[in-house]
Every structure is written in structure tokens, then in C-alpha cells.
Amino acid sequence: AQSVTQLGSHVSVSEGALVLLRCNYSSSVPPYLFWYVQYPNQGLQLLLKYTSAATLVKGINGFEAEFKKSETSFHLTKPSAHMRDAAEYFCAVTGGGNKLTFGTGTQLKVEL
Amino acid sequence: DTGVSQDPRHKITKRGQNVTFRCDPISEHNRLYWYRQTLGQGPEFLTYFQNEAQLEKSRLLSDRFSAERPKGSFSTLEIQRTEQGDSAMYLCASSFLGQGEKNIQYFGAGTRLSVL
């Protein structure tokens, strides 16, 4: 079975500041991990994915995440926040086959 | 490729009515998934198809819910005798699972259901 915990349901940063969104996972098999972003009243857009290749994964819009097996973490970072990054971010895990199991999401607010 | 398409985007219905949603996956994707998302929560898995075969159903999918993918292309999700607790965003995703492919799921914009 797989599960995801996202620490911090709301994160607020200043424009230009570092963004760090936390995700810890639990999986009984080697996991595939994903970050999705959701803008209001829209579906989910894939930001990046870890599928057992390089542990540092680069995604769209300047985001990246690092898979750390020893810490069972897959935190999402961006060096410099932009106003357009304000959205809800979901971490998800799968055992490589079927359904995604999502965290409860982190709402990112970017302030001037 | 136009992505995953869902119709309608919004549906308002009265309690007790039946509703049906449609999902058109990315062409040539052999897997199609349905998820439900309630306010403030992450999406929760409902069911998925590989081609026309429904391979897994969540315990969230009560007897009032039925999903089909008759020709292995588009899918429909029907809710009978809707209840207020069915109010949610219903998300569809598709993926291609094959040799060398990692089953990356791509989502549609969702259908928001409001049951009055």
C-alpha cells in the first residue's frame, strides 16, 4: 500500500523567495512519485515525476524535486517564486502500476 | 493531441436525479482513470480501465455508481439517485502503459457536480 503526507496545508512566500513544499511517502514497493499543480476550477497538471531514474528531477516552470529514499521524501522546490506559481500542489505516489494516491495538497500563496 | 476532455464542466442537479459524465482520453492511451476530489482534499481513486476492461474499483464506488468504457476509447461515469454527499469534482485521467512506458497519468479539467 502507498500513502503520502504533505506537511503544511498552506505555505506563503514572498515573490522571489525560495519555495519549499514538503512531501513524505510510504510505499511497500519501489515508488513512482509525482507532483501535480492545480489552478482554481481546473484539473491537475503534471509538474514532474520520479520513476526510478535520476534522483534529482527537473520539471516545468522552474520546479525540481529530489527523491531521498533514506528520508522517504520528495520535496518540491523552486529557487525564486513568481506570482503565477500561486496554486494548489499535490504530491502523489504509485507502486508503478495503477492508481495514484494523493496527499491532501498544499496551497501556495505568493505575496509581493 | 488535445489532451483529456471532460464533459460537462459543471453539472447542477437535484437530489435523487441521475447524472452521467463523459471522458475522452488522449488518443491511443490504453488506460483511463476516474477520481473524485472534494473541497480541500486530494483526488481519490474511484476506478480504472485498461482498454474496455474495468480492472479495479474503489470501495468509494457504491452501487449507485457505474462506469463504462465500451469501445476502449471514451468512458462514462453514471451516478444514480444522487445524494448531496456526491457533490465533488470528478476527474478523469488517461495514460499509456506499455513496454518502456511509465504509466504517467494526464488529467482532464474535471466535471464539478453540485447536488441540491
Side-chain angles (χ1 to χ4, degrees), chain A residues 32 34 36 38 41-44 46 49 51 90 97-100 102-104, chain B residues 9 31 33 35 37 40-43 45 48 56 102-105 107-109:
Chain A
Y32 291 172
F34 306 82
Y36 286 87
Q38 187 175 36
N41 297 313
Q42 295 188 26
L44 301 172
L46 180 66
K49 59 188 182 290
T51 56
F90 292 95
N98 308 324
K99 63 186 178 185
L100 289 167
F102 287 87
T104 52
Chain B
R9 289 294 310 277
R31 286 200 166 184
Y33 302 78
Y35 292 83
Q37 184 180 23
Q41 299 297 316
F45 169 78
Y48 89 94
E56 186 176 350
K102 300 296 186 181
N103 195 27
I104 308 301
Q105 295 182 33
F107 284 79

PDB file of all heavy atoms in Angstrom, chain A residues 32 34 36 38 41-44 46 49 51 90 97-100 102-104, chain B residues 9 31 33 35 37 40-43 45 48 56 102-105 107-109:
ATOM      1  N   TYR A  32       6.884   5.239  -7.596  1.00  0.00           N
ATOM      2  CA  TYR A  32       6.960   6.322  -8.549  1.00  0.00           C
ATOM      3  C   TYR A  32       6.290   7.516  -7.859  1.00  0.00           C
ATOM      4  O   TYR A  32       5.237   7.360  -7.249  1.00  0.00           O
ATOM      5  CB  TYR A  32       6.219   6.006  -9.839  1.00  0.00           C
ATOM      6  CG  TYR A  32       6.844   4.939 -10.701  1.00  0.00           C
ATOM      7  CD1 TYR A  32       6.175   4.453 -11.815  1.00  0.00           C
ATOM      8  CD2 TYR A  32       8.095   4.413 -10.430  1.00  0.00           C
ATOM      9  CE1 TYR A  32       6.725   3.471 -12.628  1.00  0.00           C
ATOM     10  CE2 TYR A  32       8.657   3.429 -11.223  1.00  0.00           C
ATOM     11  CZ  TYR A  32       7.967   2.962 -12.322  1.00  0.00           C
ATOM     12  OH  TYR A  32       8.520   1.991 -13.112  1.00  0.00           O
ATOM     13  N   PHE A  34       5.158  11.785  -7.943  1.00  0.00           N
ATOM     14  CA  PHE A  34       4.733  12.845  -8.843  1.00  0.00           C
ATOM     15  C   PHE A  34       4.362  14.094  -8.050  1.00  0.00           C
ATOM     16  O   PHE A  34       3.912  14.003  -6.910  1.00  0.00           O
ATOM     17  CB  PHE A  34       3.482  12.419  -9.637  1.00  0.00           C
ATOM     18  CG  PHE A  34       3.627  11.118 -10.366  1.00  0.00           C
ATOM     19  CD1 PHE A  34       3.436   9.922  -9.699  1.00  0.00           C
ATOM     20  CD2 PHE A  34       3.959  11.100 -11.706  1.00  0.00           C
ATOM     21  CE1 PHE A  34       3.574   8.708 -10.364  1.00  0.00           C
ATOM     22  CE2 PHE A  34       4.102   9.893 -12.384  1.00  0.00           C
ATOM     23  CZ  PHE A  34       3.914   8.698 -11.710  1.00  0.00           C
ATOM     24  N   TYR A  36       1.832  17.353  -8.916  1.00  0.00           N
ATOM     25  CA  TYR A  36       0.865  17.978  -9.806  1.00  0.00           C
ATOM     26  C   TYR A  36       0.503  19.351  -9.246  1.00  0.00           C
ATOM     27  O   TYR A  36       0.508  19.560  -8.035  1.00  0.00           O
ATOM     28  CB  TYR A  36      -0.418  17.144  -9.898  1.00  0.00           C
ATOM     29  CG  TYR A  36      -0.324  15.878 -10.709  1.00  0.00           C
ATOM     30  CD1 TYR A  36       0.115  14.682 -10.126  1.00  0.00           C
ATOM     31  CD2 TYR A  36      -0.700  15.849 -12.052  1.00  0.00           C
ATOM     32  CE1 TYR A  36       0.179  13.511 -10.867  1.00  0.00           C
ATOM     33  CE2 TYR A  36      -0.636  14.680 -12.794  1.00  0.00           C
ATOM     34  CZ  TYR A  36      -0.201  13.520 -12.190  1.00  0.00           C
ATOM     35  OH  TYR A  36      -0.144  12.350 -12.927  1.00  0.00           O
ATOM     36  N   GLN A  38      -2.584  22.389  -9.397  1.00  0.00           N
ATOM     37  CA  GLN A  38      -3.982  22.628  -9.746  1.00  0.00           C
ATOM     38  C   GLN A  38      -4.314  24.099  -9.549  1.00  0.00           C
ATOM     39  O   GLN A  38      -4.200  24.619  -8.432  1.00  0.00           O
ATOM     40  CB  GLN A  38      -4.908  21.755  -8.895  1.00  0.00           C
ATOM     41  CG  GLN A  38      -6.369  21.826  -9.301  1.00  0.00           C
ATOM     42  CD  GLN A  38      -7.232  20.861  -8.525  1.00  0.00           C
ATOM     43  OE1 GLN A  38      -7.014  20.612  -7.339  1.00  0.00           O
ATOM     44  NE2 GLN A  38      -8.213  20.272  -9.200  1.00  0.00           N
ATOM     45  N   ASN A  41     -10.506  25.749 -10.181  1.00  0.00           N
ATOM     46  CA  ASN A  41     -11.518  25.210 -11.098  1.00  0.00           C
ATOM     47  C   ASN A  41     -10.907  24.544 -12.328  1.00  0.00           C
ATOM     48  O   ASN A  41     -11.534  24.519 -13.393  1.00  0.00           O
ATOM     49  CB  ASN A  41     -12.486  26.306 -11.530  1.00  0.00           C
ATOM     50  CG  ASN A  41     -13.263  26.849 -10.356  1.00  0.00           C
ATOM     51  OD1 ASN A  41     -13.786  26.098  -9.541  1.00  0.00           O
ATOM     52  ND2 ASN A  41     -13.303  28.160 -10.234  1.00  0.00           N
ATOM     53  N   GLN A  42      -9.725  24.034 -12.173  1.00  0.00           N
ATOM     54  CA  GLN A  42      -9.083  23.311 -13.273  1.00  0.00           C
ATOM     55  C   GLN A  42      -8.643  21.927 -12.818  1.00  0.00           C
ATOM     56  O   GLN A  42      -8.654  21.614 -11.630  1.00  0.00           O
ATOM     57  CB  GLN A  42      -7.884  24.097 -13.801  1.00  0.00           C
ATOM     58  CG  GLN A  42      -8.258  25.422 -14.450  1.00  0.00           C
ATOM     59  CD  GLN A  42      -7.085  26.073 -15.129  1.00  0.00           C
ATOM     60  OE1 GLN A  42      -6.138  25.413 -15.553  1.00  0.00           O
ATOM     61  NE2 GLN A  42      -7.130  27.382 -15.255  1.00  0.00           N
ATOM     62  N   GLY A  43      -8.251  21.107 -13.773  1.00  0.00           N
ATOM     63  CA  GLY A  43      -7.726  19.785 -13.463  1.00  0.00           C
ATOM     64  C   GLY A  43      -6.289  19.876 -12.996  1.00  0.00           C
ATOM     65  O   GLY A  43      -5.767  20.949 -12.684  1.00  0.00           O
ATOM     66  N   LEU A  44      -5.647  18.750 -12.963  1.00  0.00           N
ATOM     67  CA  LEU A  44      -4.270  18.655 -12.465  1.00  0.00           C
ATOM     68  C   LEU A  44      -3.288  18.665 -13.631  1.00  0.00           C
ATOM     69  O   LEU A  44      -3.476  17.957 -14.618  1.00  0.00           O
ATOM     70  CB  LEU A  44      -4.092  17.350 -11.684  1.00  0.00           C
ATOM     71  CG  LEU A  44      -5.022  17.170 -10.489  1.00  0.00           C
ATOM     72  CD1 LEU A  44      -4.881  15.766  -9.932  1.00  0.00           C
ATOM     73  CD2 LEU A  44      -4.717  18.195  -9.422  1.00  0.00           C
ATOM     74  N   LEU A  46       0.688  17.968 -14.628  1.00  0.00           N
ATOM     75  CA  LEU A  46       1.888  17.303 -14.153  1.00  0.00           C
ATOM     76  C   LEU A  46       3.063  18.276 -14.140  1.00  0.00           C
ATOM     77  O   LEU A  46       3.386  18.880 -15.160  1.00  0.00           O
ATOM     78  CB  LEU A  46       2.209  16.103 -15.038  1.00  0.00           C
ATOM     79  CG  LEU A  46       3.440  15.289 -14.663  1.00  0.00           C
ATOM     80  CD1 LEU A  46       3.237  14.592 -13.312  1.00  0.00           C
ATOM     81  CD2 LEU A  46       3.745  14.265 -15.754  1.00  0.00           C
ATOM     82  N   LYS A  49       8.077  14.183 -12.359  1.00  0.00           N
ATOM     83  CA  LYS A  49       7.883  12.790 -11.955  1.00  0.00           C
ATOM     84  C   LYS A  49       9.230  12.141 -11.639  1.00  0.00           C
ATOM     85  O   LYS A  49      10.251  12.468 -12.233  1.00  0.00           O
ATOM     86  CB  LYS A  49       7.196  12.007 -13.078  1.00  0.00           C
ATOM     87  CG  LYS A  49       7.973  12.010 -14.390  1.00  0.00           C
ATOM     88  CD  LYS A  49       7.156  11.405 -15.500  1.00  0.00           C
ATOM     89  CE  LYS A  49       7.961  11.364 -16.804  1.00  0.00           C
ATOM     90  NZ  LYS A  49       8.171  12.718 -17.369  1.00  0.00           N
ATOM     91  N   THR A  51      10.673   8.286 -11.575  1.00  0.00           N
ATOM     92  CA  THR A  51      10.316   6.912 -11.947  1.00  0.00           C
ATOM     93  C   THR A  51      11.538   6.024 -11.912  1.00  0.00           C
ATOM     94  O   THR A  51      11.770   5.227 -12.826  1.00  0.00           O
ATOM     95  CB  THR A  51       9.645   6.876 -13.315  1.00  0.00           C
ATOM     96  OG1 THR A  51      10.517   7.501 -14.277  1.00  0.00           O
ATOM     97  CG2 THR A  51       8.320   7.587 -13.318  1.00  0.00           C
ATOM     98  N   PHE A  90      -0.096  19.111  -5.352  1.00  0.00           N
ATOM     99  CA  PHE A  90      -0.361  17.778  -4.823  1.00  0.00           C
ATOM    100  C   PHE A  90       0.813  16.856  -5.119  1.00  0.00           C
ATOM    101  O   PHE A  90       1.282  16.777  -6.257  1.00  0.00           O
ATOM    102  CB  PHE A  90      -1.628  17.184  -5.452  1.00  0.00           C
ATOM    103  CG  PHE A  90      -2.891  17.871  -5.052  1.00  0.00           C
ATOM    104  CD1 PHE A  90      -3.430  18.873  -5.839  1.00  0.00           C
ATOM    105  CD2 PHE A  90      -3.539  17.516  -3.877  1.00  0.00           C
ATOM    106  CE1 PHE A  90      -4.600  19.519  -5.471  1.00  0.00           C
ATOM    107  CE2 PHE A  90      -4.714  18.152  -3.493  1.00  0.00           C
ATOM    108  CZ  PHE A  90      -5.238  19.153  -4.298  1.00  0.00           C
ATOM    109  N   GLY A  97       2.154   0.842 -11.084  1.00  0.00           N
ATOM    110  CA  GLY A  97       1.174   0.251 -11.978  1.00  0.00           C
ATOM    111  C   GLY A  97      -0.076   1.060 -12.167  1.00  0.00           C
ATOM    112  O   GLY A  97      -0.328   1.567 -13.241  1.00  0.00           O
ATOM    113  N   ASN A  98      -0.826   1.222 -11.133  1.00  0.00           N
ATOM    114  CA  ASN A  98      -2.203   1.599 -11.300  1.00  0.00           C
ATOM    115  C   ASN A  98      -2.553   2.971 -10.713  1.00  0.00           C
ATOM    116  O   ASN A  98      -2.095   3.981 -11.166  1.00  0.00           O
ATOM    117  CB  ASN A  98      -3.076   0.502 -10.728  1.00  0.00           C
ATOM    118  CG  ASN A  98      -2.692  -0.857 -11.291  1.00  0.00           C
ATOM    119  OD1 ASN A  98      -2.322  -0.974 -12.456  1.00  0.00           O
ATOM    120  ND2 ASN A  98      -2.736  -1.868 -10.466  1.00  0.00           N
ATOM    121  N   LYS A  99      -3.349   2.975  -9.704  1.00  0.00           N
ATOM    122  CA  LYS A  99      -3.902   4.216  -9.200  1.00  0.00           C
ATOM    123  C   LYS A  99      -2.849   5.073  -8.518  1.00  0.00           C
ATOM    124  O   LYS A  99      -1.874   4.595  -7.967  1.00  0.00           O
ATOM    125  CB  LYS A  99      -5.007   3.901  -8.203  1.00  0.00           C
ATOM    126  CG  LYS A  99      -4.505   3.144  -6.987  1.00  0.00           C
ATOM    127  CD  LYS A  99      -5.636   2.722  -6.094  1.00  0.00           C
ATOM    128  CE  LYS A  99      -5.112   1.917  -4.906  1.00  0.00           C
ATOM    129  NZ  LYS A  99      -6.200   1.392  -4.074  1.00  0.00           N
ATOM    130  N   LEU A 100      -3.099   6.389  -8.588  1.00  0.00           N
ATOM    131  CA  LEU A 100      -2.314   7.341  -7.834  1.00  0.00           C
ATOM    132  C   LEU A 100      -2.950   7.534  -6.461  1.00  0.00           C
ATOM    133  O   LEU A 100      -4.163   7.607  -6.338  1.00  0.00           O
ATOM    134  CB  LEU A 100      -2.276   8.685  -8.559  1.00  0.00           C
ATOM    135  CG  LEU A 100      -1.447   8.751  -9.850  1.00  0.00           C
ATOM    136  CD1 LEU A 100      -1.757  10.031 -10.607  1.00  0.00           C
ATOM    137  CD2 LEU A 100       0.033   8.686  -9.527  1.00  0.00           C
ATOM    138  N   PHE A 102      -2.911  10.359  -3.583  1.00  0.00           N
ATOM    139  CA  PHE A 102      -2.540  11.755  -3.437  1.00  0.00           C
ATOM    140  C   PHE A 102      -2.457  12.163  -1.968  1.00  0.00           C
ATOM    141  O   PHE A 102      -3.148  11.616  -1.106  1.00  0.00           O
ATOM    142  CB  PHE A 102      -3.582  12.647  -4.113  1.00  0.00           C
ATOM    143  CG  PHE A 102      -3.538  12.634  -5.607  1.00  0.00           C
ATOM    144  CD1 PHE A 102      -4.230  11.681  -6.327  1.00  0.00           C
ATOM    145  CD2 PHE A 102      -2.805  13.589  -6.302  1.00  0.00           C
ATOM    146  CE1 PHE A 102      -4.192  11.659  -7.712  1.00  0.00           C
ATOM    147  CE2 PHE A 102      -2.760  13.586  -7.686  1.00  0.00           C
ATOM    148  CZ  PHE A 102      -3.452  12.617  -8.390  1.00  0.00           C
ATOM    149  N   GLY A 103      -1.646  13.182  -1.724  1.00  0.00           N
ATOM    150  CA  GLY A 103      -1.687  13.874  -0.453  1.00  0.00           C
ATOM    151  C   GLY A 103      -2.857  14.844  -0.429  1.00  0.00           C
ATOM    152  O   GLY A 103      -3.588  14.985  -1.411  1.00  0.00           O
ATOM    153  N   THR A 104      -2.994  15.538   0.692  1.00  0.00           N
ATOM    154  CA  THR A 104      -4.129  16.449   0.852  1.00  0.00           C
ATOM    155  C   THR A 104      -3.882  17.817   0.242  1.00  0.00           C
ATOM    156  O   THR A 104      -4.761  18.664   0.242  1.00  0.00           O
ATOM    157  CB  THR A 104      -4.477  16.617   2.333  1.00  0.00           C
ATOM    158  OG1 THR A 104      -3.286  16.976   3.049  1.00  0.00           O
ATOM    159  CG2 THR A 104      -5.040  15.313   2.908  1.00  0.00           C
TER     160      THR A 104
ATOM    161  N   ARG B   9     -18.483  20.481 -17.932  1.00  0.00           N
ATOM    162  CA  ARG B   9     -17.559  21.040 -16.945  1.00  0.00           C
ATOM    163  C   ARG B   9     -18.259  21.253 -15.606  1.00  0.00           C
ATOM    164  O   ARG B   9     -17.645  21.134 -14.555  1.00  0.00           O
ATOM    165  CB  ARG B   9     -16.996  22.372 -17.436  1.00  0.00           C
ATOM    166  CG  ARG B   9     -16.019  22.257 -18.599  1.00  0.00           C
ATOM    167  CD  ARG B   9     -14.717  21.536 -18.196  1.00  0.00           C
ATOM    168  NE  ARG B   9     -14.130  22.091 -16.992  1.00  0.00           N
ATOM    169  CZ  ARG B   9     -13.359  23.160 -16.967  1.00  0.00           C
ATOM    170  NH1 ARG B   9     -13.067  23.798 -18.077  1.00  0.00           N
ATOM    171  NH2 ARG B   9     -12.857  23.602 -15.804  1.00  0.00           N
ATOM    172  N   ARG B  31      -5.153   3.267 -20.901  1.00  0.00           N
ATOM    173  CA  ARG B  31      -5.696   3.260 -19.544  1.00  0.00           C
ATOM    174  C   ARG B  31      -6.471   4.547 -19.284  1.00  0.00           C
ATOM    175  O   ARG B  31      -6.075   5.634 -19.727  1.00  0.00           O
ATOM    176  CB  ARG B  31      -4.592   3.098 -18.516  1.00  0.00           C
ATOM    177  CG  ARG B  31      -4.054   1.670 -18.476  1.00  0.00           C
ATOM    178  CD  ARG B  31      -3.337   1.386 -17.193  1.00  0.00           C
ATOM    179  NE  ARG B  31      -3.127  -0.048 -17.030  1.00  0.00           N
ATOM    180  CZ  ARG B  31      -2.594  -0.596 -15.964  1.00  0.00           C
ATOM    181  NH1 ARG B  31      -2.218   0.156 -14.951  1.00  0.00           N
ATOM    182  NH2 ARG B  31      -2.437  -1.907 -15.890  1.00  0.00           N
ATOM    183  N   TYR B  33      -8.732   6.499 -16.037  1.00  0.00           N
ATOM    184  CA  TYR B  33      -8.974   6.501 -14.597  1.00  0.00           C
ATOM    185  C   TYR B  33     -10.041   7.539 -14.254  1.00  0.00           C
ATOM    186  O   TYR B  33     -10.111   8.597 -14.871  1.00  0.00           O
ATOM    187  CB  TYR B  33      -7.706   6.902 -13.840  1.00  0.00           C
ATOM    188  CG  TYR B  33      -6.518   6.024 -14.091  1.00  0.00           C
ATOM    189  CD1 TYR B  33      -5.769   6.150 -15.260  1.00  0.00           C
ATOM    190  CD2 TYR B  33      -6.130   5.072 -13.155  1.00  0.00           C
ATOM    191  CE1 TYR B  33      -4.678   5.341 -15.499  1.00  0.00           C
ATOM    192  CE2 TYR B  33      -5.022   4.263 -13.378  1.00  0.00           C
ATOM    193  CZ  TYR B  33      -4.304   4.406 -14.558  1.00  0.00           C
ATOM    194  OH  TYR B  33      -3.212   3.611 -14.782  1.00  0.00           O
ATOM    195  N   TYR B  35     -11.302   9.725 -10.800  1.00  0.00           N
ATOM    196  CA  TYR B  35     -11.014  10.135  -9.430  1.00  0.00           C
ATOM    197  C   TYR B  35     -12.104  11.100  -8.976  1.00  0.00           C
ATOM    198  O   TYR B  35     -12.748  11.763  -9.780  1.00  0.00           O
ATOM    199  CB  TYR B  35      -9.673  10.872  -9.337  1.00  0.00           C
ATOM    200  CG  TYR B  35      -8.451  10.018  -9.601  1.00  0.00           C
ATOM    201  CD1 TYR B  35      -8.028   9.759 -10.897  1.00  0.00           C
ATOM    202  CD2 TYR B  35      -7.707   9.493  -8.549  1.00  0.00           C
ATOM    203  CE1 TYR B  35      -6.903   8.983 -11.140  1.00  0.00           C
ATOM    204  CE2 TYR B  35      -6.570   8.723  -8.776  1.00  0.00           C
ATOM    205  CZ  TYR B  35      -6.182   8.475 -10.082  1.00  0.00           C
ATOM    206  OH  TYR B  35      -5.057   7.714 -10.312  1.00  0.00           O
ATOM    207  N   GLN B  37     -12.674  14.381  -6.225  1.00  0.00           N
ATOM    208  CA  GLN B  37     -11.990  15.340  -5.359  1.00  0.00           C
ATOM    209  C   GLN B  37     -13.014  16.207  -4.647  1.00  0.00           C
ATOM    210  O   GLN B  37     -13.786  16.921  -5.289  1.00  0.00           O
ATOM    211  CB  GLN B  37     -11.036  16.212  -6.174  1.00  0.00           C
ATOM    212  CG  GLN B  37     -10.201  17.173  -5.332  1.00  0.00           C
ATOM    213  CD  GLN B  37      -9.267  18.013  -6.168  1.00  0.00           C
ATOM    214  OE1 GLN B  37      -9.477  18.221  -7.363  1.00  0.00           O
ATOM    215  NE2 GLN B  37      -8.210  18.531  -5.549  1.00  0.00           N
ATOM    216  N   GLY B  40     -10.895  20.832  -0.501  1.00  0.00           N
ATOM    217  CA  GLY B  40      -9.826  20.776   0.481  1.00  0.00           C
ATOM    218  C   GLY B  40      -9.100  19.448   0.568  1.00  0.00           C
ATOM    219  O   GLY B  40      -8.255  19.264   1.454  1.00  0.00           O
ATOM    220  N   GLN B  41      -9.419  18.554  -0.336  1.00  0.00           N
ATOM    221  CA  GLN B  41      -8.791  17.233  -0.317  1.00  0.00           C
ATOM    222  C   GLN B  41      -8.081  16.943  -1.635  1.00  0.00           C
ATOM    223  O   GLN B  41      -8.338  17.581  -2.653  1.00  0.00           O
ATOM    224  CB  GLN B  41      -9.849  16.148  -0.076  1.00  0.00           C
ATOM    225  CG  GLN B  41     -10.585  16.273   1.243  1.00  0.00           C
ATOM    226  CD  GLN B  41      -9.653  16.122   2.435  1.00  0.00           C
ATOM    227  OE1 GLN B  41      -8.789  15.242   2.464  1.00  0.00           O
ATOM    228  NE2 GLN B  41      -9.807  16.995   3.417  1.00  0.00           N
ATOM    229  N   GLY B  42      -7.211  15.948  -1.596  1.00  0.00           N
ATOM    230  CA  GLY B  42      -6.621  15.482  -2.831  1.00  0.00           C
ATOM    231  C   GLY B  42      -7.569  14.529  -3.544  1.00  0.00           C
ATOM    232  O   GLY B  42      -8.512  14.013  -2.945  1.00  0.00           O
ATOM    233  N   PRO B  43      -7.341  14.313  -4.812  1.00  0.00           N
ATOM    234  CA  PRO B  43      -8.185  13.360  -5.550  1.00  0.00           C
ATOM    235  C   PRO B  43      -8.106  11.961  -4.944  1.00  0.00           C
ATOM    236  O   PRO B  43      -7.053  11.538  -4.466  1.00  0.00           O
ATOM    237  CB  PRO B  43      -7.588  13.381  -6.967  1.00  0.00           C
ATOM    238  CG  PRO B  43      -6.892  14.693  -7.065  1.00  0.00           C
ATOM    239  CD  PRO B  43      -6.348  14.955  -5.691  1.00  0.00           C
ATOM    240  N   PHE B  45      -9.011   7.872  -5.785  1.00  0.00           N
ATOM    241  CA  PHE B  45      -9.239   6.925  -6.869  1.00  0.00           C
ATOM    242  C   PHE B  45     -10.623   6.298  -6.769  1.00  0.00           C
ATOM    243  O   PHE B  45     -11.074   5.899  -5.686  1.00  0.00           O
ATOM    244  CB  PHE B  45      -8.163   5.835  -6.803  1.00  0.00           C
ATOM    245  CG  PHE B  45      -8.401   4.663  -7.689  1.00  0.00           C
ATOM    246  CD1 PHE B  45      -8.134   4.741  -9.050  1.00  0.00           C
ATOM    247  CD2 PHE B  45      -8.888   3.471  -7.173  1.00  0.00           C
ATOM    248  CE1 PHE B  45      -8.343   3.650  -9.875  1.00  0.00           C
ATOM    249  CE2 PHE B  45      -9.099   2.377  -7.985  1.00  0.00           C
ATOM    250  CZ  PHE B  45      -8.827   2.465  -9.341  1.00  0.00           C
ATOM    251  N   TYR B  48     -10.551   2.233 -12.650  1.00  0.00           N
ATOM    252  CA  TYR B  48      -9.784   2.408 -13.867  1.00  0.00           C
ATOM    253  C   TYR B  48     -10.037   1.280 -14.847  1.00  0.00           C
ATOM    254  O   TYR B  48     -10.484   0.191 -14.481  1.00  0.00           O
ATOM    255  CB  TYR B  48      -8.287   2.582 -13.575  1.00  0.00           C
ATOM    256  CG  TYR B  48      -7.460   1.313 -13.509  1.00  0.00           C
ATOM    257  CD1 TYR B  48      -6.789   0.843 -14.636  1.00  0.00           C
ATOM    258  CD2 TYR B  48      -7.312   0.632 -12.319  1.00  0.00           C
ATOM    259  CE1 TYR B  48      -6.006  -0.300 -14.565  1.00  0.00           C
ATOM    260  CE2 TYR B  48      -6.541  -0.503 -12.234  1.00  0.00           C
ATOM    261  CZ  TYR B  48      -5.884  -0.973 -13.362  1.00  0.00           C
ATOM    262  OH  TYR B  48      -5.110  -2.109 -13.289  1.00  0.00           O
ATOM    263  N   GLU B  56     -10.224  -2.345 -11.740  1.00  0.00           N
ATOM    264  CA  GLU B  56     -10.234  -2.119 -10.295  1.00  0.00           C
ATOM    265  C   GLU B  56     -11.289  -1.086  -9.951  1.00  0.00           C
ATOM    266  O   GLU B  56     -11.479  -0.106 -10.676  1.00  0.00           O
ATOM    267  CB  GLU B  56      -8.866  -1.637  -9.802  1.00  0.00           C
ATOM    268  CG  GLU B  56      -8.771  -1.519  -8.276  1.00  0.00           C
ATOM    269  CD  GLU B  56      -7.373  -1.142  -7.796  1.00  0.00           C
ATOM    270  OE1 GLU B  56      -6.419  -1.156  -8.601  1.00  0.00           O
ATOM    271  OE2 GLU B  56      -7.237  -0.844  -6.590  1.00  0.00           O
ATOM    272  N   LYS B 102       5.933   4.523 -18.495  1.00  0.00           N
ATOM    273  CA  LYS B 102       5.851   4.586 -17.040  1.00  0.00           C
ATOM    274  C   LYS B 102       4.457   4.875 -16.519  1.00  0.00           C
ATOM    275  O   LYS B 102       4.292   5.217 -15.362  1.00  0.00           O
ATOM    276  CB  LYS B 102       6.818   5.655 -16.527  1.00  0.00           C
ATOM    277  CG  LYS B 102       8.264   5.393 -16.898  1.00  0.00           C
ATOM    278  CD  LYS B 102       8.804   4.120 -16.263  1.00  0.00           C
ATOM    279  CE  LYS B 102      10.296   3.982 -16.544  1.00  0.00           C
ATOM    280  NZ  LYS B 102      10.850   2.744 -15.959  1.00  0.00           N
ATOM    281  N   ASN B 103       3.456   4.747 -17.369  1.00  0.00           N
ATOM    282  CA  ASN B 103       2.080   4.931 -16.914  1.00  0.00           C
ATOM    283  C   ASN B 103       1.862   6.304 -16.291  1.00  0.00           C
ATOM    284  O   ASN B 103       1.278   6.425 -15.211  1.00  0.00           O
ATOM    285  CB  ASN B 103       1.696   3.833 -15.916  1.00  0.00           C
ATOM    286  CG  ASN B 103       0.203   3.758 -15.682  1.00  0.00           C
ATOM    287  OD1 ASN B 103      -0.581   4.120 -16.540  1.00  0.00           O
ATOM    288  ND2 ASN B 103      -0.195   3.313 -14.499  1.00  0.00           N
ATOM    289  N   ILE B 104       2.342   7.338 -16.966  1.00  0.00           N
ATOM    290  CA  ILE B 104       2.142   8.703 -16.484  1.00  0.00           C
ATOM    291  C   ILE B 104       0.713   9.115 -16.774  1.00  0.00           C
ATOM    292  O   ILE B 104       0.251   9.042 -17.908  1.00  0.00           O
ATOM    293  CB  ILE B 104       3.109   9.679 -17.183  1.00  0.00           C
ATOM    294  CG1 ILE B 104       4.547   9.169 -17.081  1.00  0.00           C
ATOM    295  CG2 ILE B 104       2.960  11.071 -16.593  1.00  0.00           C
ATOM    296  CD1 ILE B 104       5.042   8.977 -15.673  1.00  0.00           C
ATOM    297  N   GLN B 105       0.021   9.569 -15.743  1.00  0.00           N
ATOM    298  CA  GLN B 105      -1.383   9.928 -15.894  1.00  0.00           C
ATOM    299  C   GLN B 105      -1.540  11.415 -16.180  1.00  0.00           C
ATOM    300  O   GLN B 105      -0.972  12.252 -15.478  1.00  0.00           O
ATOM    301  CB  GLN B 105      -2.157   9.543 -14.634  1.00  0.00           C
ATOM    302  CG  GLN B 105      -2.199   8.033 -14.420  1.00  0.00           C
ATOM    303  CD  GLN B 105      -2.988   7.623 -13.217  1.00  0.00           C
ATOM    304  OE1 GLN B 105      -3.970   8.270 -12.849  1.00  0.00           O
ATOM    305  NE2 GLN B 105      -2.571   6.537 -12.596  1.00  0.00           N
ATOM    306  N   PHE B 107      -4.408  14.450 -16.696  1.00  0.00           N
ATOM    307  CA  PHE B 107      -5.760  14.720 -16.209  1.00  0.00           C
ATOM    308  C   PHE B 107      -6.522  15.689 -17.105  1.00  0.00           C
ATOM    309  O   PHE B 107      -5.943  16.586 -17.718  1.00  0.00           O
ATOM    310  CB  PHE B 107      -5.708  15.310 -14.799  1.00  0.00           C
ATOM    311  CG  PHE B 107      -5.422  14.284 -13.747  1.00  0.00           C
ATOM    312  CD1 PHE B 107      -4.134  13.820 -13.529  1.00  0.00           C
ATOM    313  CD2 PHE B 107      -6.453  13.757 -12.978  1.00  0.00           C
ATOM    314  CE1 PHE B 107      -3.881  12.860 -12.569  1.00  0.00           C
ATOM    315  CE2 PHE B 107      -6.198  12.799 -12.010  1.00  0.00           C
ATOM    316  CZ  PHE B 107      -4.914  12.348 -11.805  1.00  0.00           C
ATOM    317  N   GLY B 108      -7.841  15.502 -17.111  1.00  0.00           N
ATOM    318  CA  GLY B 108      -8.728  16.472 -17.709  1.00  0.00           C
ATOM    319  C   GLY B 108      -9.056  17.588 -16.721  1.00  0.00           C
ATOM    320  O   GLY B 108      -8.584  17.578 -15.580  1.00  0.00           O
ATOM    321  N   ALA B 109      -9.876  18.520 -17.180  1.00  0.00           N
ATOM    322  CA  ALA B 109     -10.221  19.684 -16.358  1.00  0.00           C
ATOM    323  C   ALA B 109     -11.263  19.364 -15.295  1.00  0.00           C
ATOM    324  O   ALA B 109     -11.487  20.162 -14.394  1.00  0.00           O
ATOM    325  CB  ALA B 109     -10.709  20.819 -17.252  1.00  0.00           C
TER     326      ALA B 109
END
